[in-house]
Structures are given as structure tokens and as C-alpha cells.
Amino acid sequence: MLVDETAARWLTRLGEGEAAGAGEVALFRKLAFACFAGLVLVPLALAFILKPALALPVGAAVVVSLFLFAVAGSAALPRRTPVAVALPQPEDALFDACPGLALILDPQGHVVKSGGRDRHLFPASMRDAAGEPLAEVIHVSDRIGLVQALDTLRQGASSAAADIRIERPFTSAGRQFLPVRLDMTALRDGEGRLAHVFAQARDISAEEEARAQAAANLLEAKSAHEAKTRFLAAVSHELRTPLNAILGFSDVLAGEYFGRLENDRQREYVGLIRQSGGHLLSVVNTMLDMSKIETGRYELLTEPFMIGEAMEACRAMLDLSAREKGVTLTSRTARGLGEVVADRRAVQQILINLAGNAIKFTQSGGVVSIDAVLDGDNLVMSVSDTGIGIAPDKLQFIGQPFMQVENAYTRSYEGTGLGLSLVKGLVALHGGRFTITSRPGEGTVVTISLPADGSGVGGKQDDAQWGDAQRGDTRDGLEEKFEFPPRLKAVRHMAMKAQDFVDDHAEAKIA
């Protein structure tokens, strides 16, 4: 508009070249329109008092005079200058946006500046500690750690961390100190000297509570495990006493020492009592052995013995049950394999449990083989079968106490699920290794490796290995390749192409 342009030029000249503001132009526009309206209305109003010839010039003079006075008054007022808004510097914005409580420290550990997104969550003693040594506001026992972290930065490290506690008023939880993780970063000058330290404090109360809860859960689990072991040991001891009486008197009845039995049914019942009592006693003995292993009270009595004789004794013990089921049971040892040093009873228990399991899960016409070779300084024994096998996703459960793989086959077989668990425990006590490989419908190979000189007995047991035994970890044997019917070359860990094997029963082996 013409009025706005005129007002802008006039105000610019009046302001000595300073551009006119929009508000000043709008004020001038209002005064101009008011003047135009007054040039019409004021003379009309004066016409009622004065003559028309006099009212027109007097009214116009009054309106123009008032307009000039208004313009002059507005021009005399000090012109507004735009006030610059102080925007935060980018460094300050980033500093205040840091999670937790952000601090700038000097090389001596005095607080220079504090900020951070969550600074309101920290005690005022730390939040408003500018100019004070940071060590003065933390727990006295944490000061050494803080001083060491600062000294590490002064010596050239780029970062350091310290866990500290800050005193605070009592809360509803009753905690007087706030646990804080202090992550510090060195800020150096152009010459590499430590100029400042950027420290970021984070509240780790949740982590401390989780750590304490985990420790309490672990202690509770250990206590429950020890209570279970003590209970099994006590129950097993209590069961053995009446079982010995049952077995003893059933033997007396079966021997007919105090009179003949009337008929074959009575003899059958006495035999079933003796058989059931023997099975229950073996379960009780297994539970006792497991409790001794878990509590560290199982003692191995090492001695040199012929491993071939021990294997043959195990084969002879299980041969009858294998023949009754129609399974071929063989044992073979490598030529020249003589004495080994180990606990003979434990080794025989290992072989009996493994071979017994193999016979139990092998159908009529199948083969179970017990083999032994010498691999360097290790005795490698393997028990292989052509049984039902185990699915790959079930192998991880094998060997856990009281654990049986539930499928359509194993539900029809008896057992407590302690056999392989006891085997793994005995192998671990000898400092050996246990591996298992299986394919459903084809068979299973279990390989035991023990130090032949008995050096693994009495040493420090490998905690990880014993943990794997308790969890049933069998991953070591998953990638081993083997054939069915089992062949000795497929289950041992060394190539023995030129070695012969001596065993009278090996001819029964299916080639």
C-alpha cells in the first residue's frame, strides 16, 4: 500500500537508515486512517456549532494537528531493537542429553561441571558438587578405586571405570547408599596431557539386585541339591538293611534248606522275589554311588590290572541276559594291550552299565560289542550296538540323573535313568572323557577315554567336564562317523590298520 511504503521510507530516514519494524509501520497506518476519518467527521460535528464556512477549515486544522502530534510522539519513543535469544551451545546440549549424570573433572578429580539427562535421580551431594573433590562425596571404602581409576587416566589410558557408592537419604527400601558405575574418558590437550575427565555415572541398583538375587538362587539350589543327595543316601542306607534280609531269606527258601517247597509255583515266586530284590539292591547301590560322587566322597582305589580280563568278566556276567534276548555280545582287546592303572571296580561298573543299556535297547538278532585299544597314553573303550538309536535332539538329555529319553521305544523299557549318569561321574573321577554318537534305527556308540597310567585319578577334576557330565552334554561325539553293524575301526580314535585283535568270542561278531 502507498501508506505503508510512505511510512516505511519516513521511519527509515527518521531512524538514520535503520529499517522500520512491522509494528511501527502498522501504527503509522492506523494513525493515517484515523486522520482520514477525522477530516470528515470533525468538520461535520463543528458545523452544528460554527458556520459551515468556518467549521471546515477549523476541523481540518484540528485533525491534522492531532495527527502530527501523534506521529511525532510515536517517533519520539525509543525504537525497539530485537532481543537476541541465547541459544544453548551444541556442546552444552549434548552434555545435558547424556544418560545418567554427566560430570567434567579436572586431573585432580575435582568436579568442574555437572549435567546429564537423569541428574535429578542422583543425590544432591553428587549432583551439586561443583568445585569439590569427587572423592569427598562417595563412600570412604570406594575412594581407593576412584583414585586408581584417575591415576590410570593420568598415566595415559583413554578410559577407566570404577564402581562407587553415594550416600543418600533413607528410601522406602531402606538402602542408604546408591550403587553407581562411573565410566571415565580422558580429554587431552594438543600435547597429550590430561586436561579434563568426562565421567558418566549410571545407577546400577537393578544390576546389584539381580546379582544378589542370582547369588541367593544359586545358594538355594546348592542347598536343595545337597539336601536331595543326603536324602537319597539316607533312604538308600535304610533300604539296604531290609533288602539284605529279603535276599538272604529268599536264597534260603530257594535252596530248600528247611524243607522242600510244595510245587513249582512256589519256587517261581521265590525266584521272582530274589530277582526283584537283586534289582532293587542294584538301584540302591547306584543311588549310593551317585550321592558319593556328587558329595565328593567317592574314593577310587587304583591298581594295575589286565583290562582284557576285566572286559571278559563283564561279558561273562551279561552273556546270559544277551543270549536270552537273542543278542550277540562280544568283547575284543587290541593285541599287546596289557595292564592299565585304574579302579577296577569302577571300570567294570562302567562297562556293565554301558553294555547292559546296549543289550536292553537292542532287538533280537542285533550285536553288542565291547572293544578296547590304546591311543597314545589313553585307554579307549567303546561299547557299540545295533539297537534302536537315539534322536539327535535327545542326545543332550542323555546322562542326566533320573532322566530317560521319552519316546515310543524307551517307555517300554525299565530303568531309573541313573546308569549313564553314574558312568559319566566315574569317568570324570578318572580324568577321562565320555562321548556318544547315535543314529535312530541304526545304533549307538559310546566311547570312554581314560589315562592308561592312572594319572587322572587324584588330580584336580575338571569342573567344566563334570558340569557337562551332570548336564548330559554329549556334543563331542556328534560329528563322529561310524558304521553299522559296528566295526572297531569306526569307533576308536586312532588308526590301527596293522593291529590284530585277540578274543575267542570275536568270531561271533557280525562282520
Side-chain angles (χ1 to χ4, degrees), residues 424-492:
K424 287 192 171 186
L426 294 175
V427 171
L429 289 178
H430 280 85
R433 291 186 63 81
F434 173 102
T435 58
I436 181 171
T437 313
S438 183
R439 293 199 198 113
E442 297 185 20
T444 302
V445 177
V446 179
T447 305
I448 304 297
S449 177
L450 306 177
D453 58 356
S455 58
V457 179
K460 203 166 185 178
Q461 184 177 332
D462 187 355
D463 294 337
Q465 181 180 349
W466 175 241
D468 291 344
Q470 291 301 304
R471 293 189 300 271
D473 193 347
T474 57
R475 291 172 293 178
D476 292 339
L478 292 181
E479 298 180 358
E480 187 179 353
K481 304 298 182 183
F482 56 94
E483 301 174 359
F484 293 96
R487 299 178 185 272
L488 186 60
K489 66 179 182 180
V491 297
R492 59 189 174 180

Side-chain angles (χ1 to χ4, degrees), residues 383-415:
V383 178
S384 55
D385 64 68
T386 57
I388 61 176
I390 306 169
D393 58 332
K394 303 296 185 181
L395 282 176
Q396 59 180 325
F397 302 112
I398 297 299
Q400 296 182 10
F402 304 101
M403 179 63 68
Q404 290 182 312
V405 180
E406 296 292 334
N407 55 42
Y409 292 101
T410 57
R411 287 175 184 158
S412 60
Y413 296 99
E414 63 180 13

Side-chain angles (χ1 to χ4, degrees), residues 298-511:
Y298 193 101
E299 296 183 2
L300 295 179
L301 302 177
T302 60
E303 59 178 341
F305 64 93
M306 299 296 294
I307 185 62
E309 295 177 359
M311 292 173 58
E312 177 58 24
C314 296
R315 189 206 63 78
M317 291 176 61
L318 298 173
D319 188 61
L320 178 60
S321 61
R323 284 191 282 110
E324 289 178 348
K325 197 173 180 182
V327 174
T328 301
L329 175 62
T330 67
S331 65
R332 300 185 297 179
T333 58
R335 184 180 298 274
L337 179 57
E339 289 187 344
V340 296
V341 179
D343 187 317
R344 179 166 184 160
R345 174 182 172 273
V347 171
Q348 288 185 334
Q349 185 70 53
I350 290 172
L351 295 176
I352 290 173
N353 285 6
L354 293 179
N357 270 355
I359 294 171
K360 181 167 62 174
F361 295 105
T362 301
Q363 301 91 339
S364 177
V367 178
V368 174
S369 179
I370 307 173
D371 302 307
V373 296
L374 191 63
D375 181 8
D377 295 331
N378 293 327
L379 169 67
V380 179
M381 299 178 293
S382 61
V383 178
S384 55
D385 64 68
T386 57
I388 61 176
I390 306 169
D393 58 332
K394 303 296 185 181
L395 282 176
Q396 59 180 325
F397 302 112
I398 297 299
Q400 296 182 10
F402 304 101
M403 179 63 68
Q404 290 182 312
V405 180
E406 296 292 334
N407 55 42
Y409 292 101
T410 57
R411 287 175 184 158
S412 60
Y413 296 99
E414 63 180 13
T416 60
L418 285 174
L420 283 180
S421 179
L422 178 59
V423 167
K424 287 192 171 186
L426 294 175
V427 171
L429 289 178
H430 280 85
R433 291 186 63 81
F434 173 102
T435 58
I436 181 171
T437 313
S438 183
R439 293 199 198 113
E442 297 185 20
T444 302
V445 177
V446 179
T447 305
I448 304 297
S449 177
L450 306 177
D453 58 356
S455 58
V457 179
K460 203 166 185 178
Q461 184 177 332
D462 187 355
D463 294 337
Q465 181 180 349
W466 175 241
D468 291 344
Q470 291 301 304
R471 293 189 300 271
D473 193 347
T474 57
R475 291 172 293 178
D476 292 339
L478 292 181
E479 298 180 358
E480 187 179 353
K481 304 298 182 183
F482 56 94
E483 301 174 359
F484 293 96
R487 299 178 185 272
L488 186 60
K489 66 179 182 180
V491 297
R492 59 189 174 180
H493 294 286
M494 62 174 295
M496 302 198 55
K497 299 179 181 178
Q499 271 194 313
D500 298 326
F501 296 89
V502 179
D503 192 278
D504 295 336
H505 302 275
E507 297 177 356
K509 182 76 174 178
I510 297 178

Side-chain angles (χ1 to χ4, degrees), residues 95-96 101-116 119 122-138 146 150 154 164 166 182 184 187 195-201:
F95 184 76
D96 290 333
L101 175 65
L103 299 171
I104 297 294
L105 310 177
D106 63 13
Q108 287 71 40
H110 293 75
V111 179
V112 177
K113 182 180 180 181
S114 63
R119 57 183 178 273
F122 288 79
S125 59
M126 188 174 184
R127 186 176 62 238
D128 304 326
E132 299 181 9
L134 181 60
E136 296 295 332
V137 300
I138 68 174
L146 176 63
L150 290 172
R154 284 193 291 265
I164 60 176
I166 308 299
L182 196 63
M184 294 177 284
L187 304 177
H196 291 90
V197 176
F198 173 73
Q200 186 177 12

